[in-house]
Amino acid sequence: MPTSLQKTRLFDRKQFRYQLETGKQPLLVFKDALEHGRAHLRSYHFNGGKPQPAVLLHAWLVDQLLIQAWSTHKTLLPKNVTAALVAVGGYGRGELHPASDIDLMILLDHNDTHACKEFVETLLRFCWDIGLEVGHSVRTVEECIAESNKDITVTTNLMEARHLTGDDHLFAEMREKTSPPCSWPSKAFFKAKKQEQQDRHARFHGTAFNLEPNIKEGPGGLRDIQMIFWVATRHFNISRPKDLVTHKLLSEAEEQTLIKGRNFLWHLRNGLHYHANRREDRLLFDYQRILATEMGFKNRKGELAVEQLMKRYYRTVKELSLINEIVLQHFEEILLQEEKPVTEKLNRRFQARGNTIDVCDENTFKHAPYAMLELFLLMQQNPQLTGVSVRTIRQLRANLHRIDANYRKDITNRSLFLEILRQPQGLTHEFRRMNAYGVLAAYIPAFGKIIGQMQHDLFHAYTVDEHTLFVVRNLRRFTVPEFHKEFPLASSIITRLVKPERLYLAGLFHDIAKGRGGDHTVLGERDAAAFCKLHDLSDYDTHLVCWLVRQHLIMSWTAQRQDISDPHVIMDFANKVGDQERLDNLYLLTVADMRGTSPEVWNEWKGHLLAQLYAATSRMLLLGSASIGDVSKRVKEYKSSALALLKPDKAGNRRVDHFWANLENQYFFQYDADNLAWHARAVISAYATDFPVVATRFNPYISGTEFFFYTPDAEGLFVQLTSAFDTLRLSIVDARLTTSTHGFSLSTFVVMDQNNKSIRDKRALQVLQEQLHDKLLNPRAQTAQPSLLLSRQLKHFPIETRVCFSESVNGRSTVMEVSAHDRPGLLYNIAQALAESKVILLSTKISTYGERAEDIFFITDRDHAPLDNKAEQDRLAKLIIDRLAQEQTSDPHPVSAVQF
């Protein structure tokens, strides 16, 4: 608690009164006192002061000024009115962070607010003028009762109300009439607040382990700590953290963990407010590095200071979430059970008490340590059980030290863990529960190392442990019938797996070596091999799990970075995979991994690419190299399939043949029959006055929006097209370019809107088609370079632009890879560089990994030969790097996208 000396340094009451009495303008006296006190608190914080005194002292400082302000203005209060000034909300708890709200209630004894209007308005205006940003309400006791009964948020605020000055009897009456049983009995209050917490957690996807977490509202944050005190206060009328121990809601150790965690979050929140110079509860990238240095973290080998800070944050909120669960579970047991719960014995160690699992005695885990795993198996096998009793959680936590090397070698424990993996339901919930209680980290020590391990980039939205559990959840979701429509291919494949537990193990281990330095796939493979060997998996099963861990990135890499329309690419990938069982498991793991990385990483187009690669590889594995077949024969088959879709008359058939005759065989390998038919229909139905031909559609097969252009070939055409798409705020995810033998360019693009979604609305597509047609006819209208503005987040992750070259699988082109910051105008600038270098672009694959773009370009020189001249490659690379280095700070393009 703050000392008298600290308070005196913060606010000298004698000096304050002296200045008022000697005639100094009151506004200046108050303003100076507030500025002096806050400057002292700021200095205290930045000189290593503890957060708890800082928060309490700030509230005390504001108390003094508000009490004096009330005293100065109370002559304006009508004599027949009784009133009190009340602090509510966080300020009512006596806690105030540097930029927190100062919530006040002016409590009146009758509802003639008009008579008090001058007093209220003058007092509040004075508070604002001296620098106090106050929020206020003016209520009578009756209005407090009515509002409290209607809105539990008002009830919560009034519970925390604190009398500052004015009539204390009026305040006492309000407290009495808004407390149980008059308003919101503790049972109803608990149910409502619990639902409120569940809804709040859902806004954060049920996880606190985001890159930029909200330290107040997120799971395990300050609001969860307040939740503990709210429900405890409502039921037991407690006033101090120690009271939680007195009422046996927490043990002394848990109470100390709670206070320690709260003070850590308070320190972070104070720092955020000071650095942002406003109320800011999100631990943004802008402040993470600054706060890490400020709080004494230092870079060390293999771990940045900011990573250490964030790991402590994530582990702190994990502990606080568990304490929150313990308290809420306690109230669940004592408040929500209508009558004494029916007890049913599950076995000699566990019993069901209502819908809660409970140990049979206080020494269950001491006498039978294997029960620490059996607990979770029983939860899976008895889905009517929805919670774990408080005493069971505490006993489990107290015995975690028993999970050691000998414990892991015990055949009983090994068998139990594998049984948990093999259960048809409940794996996701129980893995999360095992992680929350510390069992997963104890049983798999390598997993313990990744708890709270952040990946300091924008590609991975969660900590490694949270991402891993999301991946396992995604895998299990494929097995649930009601989610079959989400990913029908994955849901169909997983039903064919002989041993899905091997896939779950691969998901559990695929990133387990992150943060150790070195190749995490190699290190993770070793960890997986050791685990499989310890658990007596067969050599075949072990090899499959280890192969999946080692190769878990290969399918996404191939789909997004290689030309999967090329049979040679498919053959190469099929040779690496080896058989259908590996392909099935790899496809499922890849989809689950990409979806669990970040909400922004997955989109329908990537799903299509993976499905296309899966189908082509399955065919290759079935038919072998014979499936490549004779080129002319395959082209003939493609044409025949497309004609079957077109169903042209004789004249139409001749026009289609004429169109196709000018295209080389490679064109037909790039598209399926549906696309070939679509292109042909657009071209043969066009008149000379329609050129350039522009067609667009939403293709449900790929869940993507496609654009097709057919126009006389011209230098800089790709630059015009990329500029046009940029102008319309459309993101290109795939582009393929073909030049006919008679000098026409055929280009196709797959695009997404600003929200990374495909465009399906026919009217919107028609408008975009017309806009792009106009832009091709008037290329001068978009000669300005698109904006290269960086977002707030991107500025904290500088990425060096890199350009590298390699030979394509078929040897007919050069693969150019550009790695750079993803931002508007990126593709346009690369297109400009290609045009300036007289390089021919065949196709491109656009991939984004959070803040990083890794775009692949298949290029040739002017003679349609691979660009294998080192000097030419170096010149092109330098040109791209130089163009991208010229960042623009304004957007010269008008936003011409139409809103629908």
Side-chain angles (χ1 to χ4, degrees):
M1 294 295 292
T3 65
S4 298
L5 179 60
Q6 286 175 316
K7 291 180 178 179
T8 302
R9 288 174 178 170
L10 193 68
F11 178 77
D12 190 330
R13 189 178 285 109
K14 290 183 180 178
Q15 178 68 16
F16 181 85
R17 288 176 178 170
Y18 174 77
Q19 289 180 325
L20 287 177
E21 290 168 359
T22 53
K24 189 173 180 180
Q25 188 178 355
L27 184 65
L28 293 178
V29 175
F30 277 82
K31 195 170 184 177
D32 289 347
L34 179 61
E35 290 176 354
H36 166 80
R38 283 181 167 172
H40 181 81
L41 288 170
R42 184 183 183 92
S43 175
Y44 176 77
H45 170 82
F46 285 109
N47 283 288
K50 296 181 179 180
Q52 185 172 3
V55 169
L56 301 180
L57 280 168
H58 190 196
W60 180 85
L61 169 67
V62 173
D63 287 354
Q64 308 314 304
L65 294 173
L66 287 173
I67 291 168
Q68 294 295 333
W70 180 278
S71 177
T72 302
H73 293 84
K74 67 181 179 181
T75 54
L76 297 174
L77 193 65
K79 293 184 178 179
N80 64 332
V81 173
T82 301
L85 183 64
V86 180
V88 294
Y91 176 47
R93 293 191 299 272
E95 304 165 6
L96 203 58
H97 293 271
S100 291
D101 293 335
I102 300 169
D103 292 326
L104 298 174
M105 179 174 68
I106 297 174
L107 188 62
L108 304 175
D109 65 341
H110 61 73
N111 60 6
D112 186 8
T113 55
H114 181 74
C116 305
K117 184 178 180 182
E118 181 184 2
F119 166 74
V120 171
E121 290 182 349
T122 304
L123 175 65
L124 293 174
R125 192 182 308 115
F126 183 80
C127 290
W128 278 90
D129 288 344
I130 67 174
L132 292 176
E133 297 183 9
V134 299
H136 75 284
S137 59
V138 181
R139 292 190 179 117
T140 62
V141 172
E142 288 71 24
E143 287 171 336
C144 287
I145 296 169
E147 290 300 316
S148 176
N149 288 334
K150 287 192 298 184
D151 188 347
I152 196 169
T153 304
V154 175
T155 303
T156 308
N157 274 336
L158 295 180
M159 277 173 51
E160 297 176 315
R162 183 166 54 90
H163 179 256
L164 293 175
T165 188
D167 191 278
D168 54 353
H169 296 292
L170 187 63
F171 174 76
E173 180 187 356
M174 181 276 294
R175 287 298 299 268
E176 180 183 354
K177 292 183 177 179
T178 57
S179 298
C182 301
S183 173
W184 286 95
S186 55
K187 178 179 177 179
F189 181 83
F190 172 72
K191 289 179 70 174
K193 295 305 285 187
K194 185 179 180 183
Q195 184 61 52
E196 187 179 87
Q197 175 173 290
Q198 290 171 348
D199 294 342
R200 175 167 49 82
H201 286 183
R203 295 200 302 271
F204 297 94
H205 306 288
T207 178
F209 306 109
N210 298 296
L211 279 177
E212 295 182 304
N214 189 308
I215 66 174
K216 180 182 178 184
E217 300 289 345
L222 290 168
R223 190 68 84 196
D224 280 10
I225 297 175
Q226 292 159 11
M227 175 71 174
I228 292 171
F229 285 98
W230 288 334
V231 296
T233 299
R234 200 69 182 173
H235 191 69
F236 292 114
N237 195 28
I238 70 166
S239 59
R240 303 171 305 155
K242 283 290 182 188
D243 295 336
L244 295 170
V245 179
T246 303
H247 288 281
K248 298 182 179 179
L249 294 172
L250 294 178
S251 66
E252 289 189 4
E254 289 165 344
E255 187 253 347
Q256 288 301 310
T257 299
L258 178 69
I259 298 304
K260 184 180 177 182
R262 182 203 65 183
N263 289 346
F264 173 69
L265 296 182
W266 274 3
H267 195 162
L268 282 176
R269 196 177 187 213
N270 282 344
L272 280 173
H273 285 199
Y274 280 129
H275 288 295
N277 201 28
R278 58 182 168 79
R279 188 179 71 176
E280 179 56 82
D281 297 325
R282 295 166 300 163
L283 200 47
L284 301 176
F285 295 129
D286 308 59
Y287 312 115
Q288 287 178 10
R289 292 178 185 271
I290 299 171
L291 290 171
T293 301
E294 182 184 299
M295 296 178 74
F297 294 95
K298 296 180 180 179
N299 292 339
R300 62 190 185 203
K301 187 176 180 181
E303 193 170 27
L304 298 172
V306 66
E307 293 173 334
Q308 296 169 52
L309 167 68
M310 296 308 293
K311 179 175 279 191
R312 181 176 172 190
Y313 168 80
Y314 295 127
R315 293 192 173 197
T316 295
V317 295
K318 182 173 181 286
E319 290 176 337
L320 292 174
S321 290
L322 181 57
I323 291 174
N324 174 273
E325 179 187 344
I326 287 172
V327 173
L328 297 195
Q329 180 61 40
H330 178 88
F331 278 99
E332 189 92 27
E333 293 169 12
I334 65 173
L335 287 177
L336 298 190
Q337 293 172 352
E338 300 291 343
E339 54 191 32
K340 188 175 180 180
V342 175
T343 300
E344 179 184 351
K345 204 153 188 178
L346 299 173
N347 58 29
R348 287 184 297 175
R349 293 161 297 284
F350 293 100
Q351 58 191 348
R353 294 176 60 84
N355 61 356
T356 302
I357 192 168
D358 187 31
V359 288
C360 289
D361 64 61
E362 298 298 330
N363 294 305
T364 294
F365 299 126
K366 180 180 178 181
H367 295 150
Y370 63 86
M372 287 188 279
L373 289 174
E374 184 185 31
L375 164 70
F376 303 102
L377 180 60
L378 288 172
M379 290 290 289
Q380 290 176 299
Q381 294 172 340
N382 296 273
Q384 76 278 9
L385 298 175
T386 58
V388 181
S389 72
V390 172
R391 75 165 182 166
T392 303
I393 296 173
R394 284 181 172 146
Q395 191 183 139
L396 176 66
R397 299 272 293 171
N399 284 275
L400 283 178
H401 66 277
R402 301 183 188 280
I403 304 179
D404 54 14
N406 290 328
Y407 183 97
R408 299 178 203 106
K409 293 176 184 176
D410 190 295
I411 190 170
T412 301
N413 301 324
R414 290 184 281 133
S415 299
L416 281 168
F417 191 87
L418 291 179
E419 274 303 300
I420 291 170
L421 273 174
R422 291 170 179 145
Q423 291 304 300
Q425 60 186 8
L427 179 63
T428 299
H429 284 97
E430 296 319 307
F431 263 9
R432 288 197 175 279
R433 207 186 306 269
M434 290 168 76
N435 185 38
Y437 298 170
V439 174
L440 203 53
Y443 191 75
I444 306 177
F447 189 87
K449 294 177 182 177
I450 60 172
I451 291 178
Q453 175 70 44
M454 75 175 294
Q455 301 175 78
H456 203 58
D457 57 34
L458 291 176
F459 175 52
H460 299 89
Y462 310 108
T463 57
V464 182
D465 57 318
E466 189 70 6
H467 161 70
T468 299
L469 295 177
F470 269 130
V471 170
V472 175
R473 183 208 68 169
N474 292 339
L475 292 171
R476 292 290 285 189
R477 197 175 175 95
F478 297 147
T479 69
V480 182
E482 50 262 46
F483 298 126
H484 179 84
K485 290 183 179 179
E486 283 185 351
F487 295 93
L489 176 59
S491 296
S492 173
I493 293 170
I494 205 165
T495 60
R496 302 199 300 263
L497 297 189
V498 178
K499 296 180 180 179
E501 65 268 20
R502 298 178 303 196
L503 178 60
Y504 305 146
L505 271 179
L508 192 61
F509 278 87
H510 80 288
D511 274 353
I512 206 162
K514 282 283 185 76
R516 291 193 219 164
D519 187 336
H520 78 281
T521 64
V522 175
L523 298 174
E525 181 186 24
R526 293 175 191 166
D527 289 340
F531 181 92
C532 292
K533 183 178 180 181
L534 179 65
H535 288 75
D536 298 323
L537 268 67
S538 69
D539 288 345
Y540 181 86
D541 290 351
T542 299
H543 290 151
L544 177 59
V545 172
C546 291
W547 183 86
L548 287 169
V549 173
R550 178 70 179 271
Q551 302 294 343
H552 72 271
L553 299 173
I554 191 175
M555 192 167 193
S556 62
W557 186 91
T558 302
Q560 297 181 80
R561 297 158 68 94
Q562 296 203 48
D563 182 4
I564 58 176
S565 67
D566 186 339
H568 296 88
V569 170
I570 302 302
M571 174 60 77
D572 182 62
F573 179 69
N575 288 335
K576 291 175 181 175
V577 173
D579 59 53
Q580 187 66 41
E581 185 170 38
R582 281 186 173 184
L583 179 64
D584 289 346
N585 281 272
L586 181 61
Y587 172 77
L588 295 169
L589 180 58
T590 303
V591 175
D593 188 18
M594 292 175 70
R595 289 187 65 224
T597 299
S598 165
E600 286 74 38
V601 165
W602 180 263
N603 59 39
E604 294 169 326
W605 171 247
K606 291 178 181 177
H608 162 70
L609 290 178
L610 291 174
Q612 184 182 350
L613 177 58
Y614 174 84
T617 308
S618 292
R619 176 181 172 82
M620 188 69 73
L621 290 170
L622 180 65
L623 302 177
S625 58
S627 63
I628 296 180
D630 179 73
V631 171
S632 59
K633 180 181 178 182
R634 291 184 65 202
V635 170
K636 187 176 181 180
E637 291 174 355
Y638 293 154
K639 289 180 177 180
S640 177
S641 298
L643 283 171
L645 294 173
L646 280 169
K647 299 178 181 177
D649 56 21
K650 288 184 179 181
N653 203 25
R654 285 194 299 270
R655 288 196 295 272
V656 172
D657 285 341
H658 178 71
F659 168 57
W660 282 345
N662 294 302
L663 294 167
E664 296 180 350
N665 287 337
Q666 187 59 30
Y667 163 75
F668 297 94
F669 287 101
Q670 288 185 303
Y671 302 100
D672 59 18
D674 179 62
N675 268 284
L676 294 174
W678 180 49
H679 298 170
R681 185 180 295 112
V683 172
I684 67 173
S685 62
Y687 295 97
T689 54
D690 294 332
F691 277 79
V693 174
V694 181
T696 187
R697 67 174 183 174
F698 169 72
N699 187 340
Y701 173 67
I702 66 170
S703 296
T705 304
E706 295 178 307
F707 284 86
F708 168 69
F709 301 91
Y710 186 69
T711 183
D713 194 22
E715 189 172 321
L717 178 62
F718 186 62
V719 175
Q720 291 179 33
L721 291 171
T722 55
S723 177
F725 282 119
D726 270 325
T727 304
L728 296 171
R729 298 297 189 260
L730 298 176
S731 299
I732 300 169
V733 297
D734 186 76
R736 301 178 188 182
L737 296 87
T738 301
T739 303
S740 71
T741 56
H742 68 318
F744 271 72
S745 173
L746 187 152
S747 310
T748 59
F749 294 83
V750 179
V751 302
M752 300 283 181
D753 65 15
Q754 296 178 73
N755 299 315
N756 208 24
K757 301 290 185 182
S758 55
I759 305 158
R760 302 171 184 238
D761 183 78
K762 290 183 179 180
R763 177 173 167 268
L765 291 173
Q766 181 61 38
V767 172
L768 290 171
Q769 179 176 319
E770 293 169 359
Q771 289 179 321
L772 286 162
H773 185 271
D774 291 343
K775 288 178 184 299
L776 282 179
L777 287 176
N778 301 285
R780 292 180 183 177
Q782 77 252 359
T783 55
Q785 177 173 319
S787 169
L788 293 180
L789 283 169
L790 298 184
S791 71
R792 171 189 62 79
Q793 293 179 328
L794 296 185
K795 294 175 183 176
H796 299 281
F797 297 91
I799 291 182
E800 179 185 3
T801 300
R802 299 179 61 189
V803 182
C804 57
F805 300 86
S806 60
E807 185 181 350
S808 66
V809 174
N810 59 26
R812 292 193 293 265
S813 63
T814 295
V815 179
M816 181 181 75
E817 179 181 341
V818 179
S819 177
H821 262 311
D822 184 36
R823 71 270 211 185
L826 175 64
L827 189 56
Y828 169 86
N829 277 270
I830 297 172
Q832 284 276 41
L834 293 173
E836 289 178 35
S837 302
K838 309 296 183 186
V839 169
I840 296 174
L841 176 65
L842 302 178
S843 64
T844 181
K845 307 270 289 194
I846 310 301
S847 300
T848 54
Y849 302 90
E851 79 285 0
R852 187 175 74 255
E854 292 189 358
D855 298 343
I856 308 297
F857 301 85
F858 297 87
I859 59 177
T860 66
D861 62 18
R862 281 170 287 186
D863 298 321
H864 301 283
L867 188 73
D868 51 14
N869 184 291
K870 182 67 166 57
E872 290 182 1
Q873 291 180 357
D874 290 344
R875 279 194 295 271
L876 176 57
K878 184 177 186 305
L879 186 57
I880 292 172
I881 292 170
D882 289 346
R883 288 193 66 86
L884 296 182
Q886 298 171 4
E887 300 288 347
Q888 299 295 310
T889 57
S890 62
D891 188 355
H893 272 320
V895 179
S896 54
V898 179
Q899 301 297 318
F900 301 99

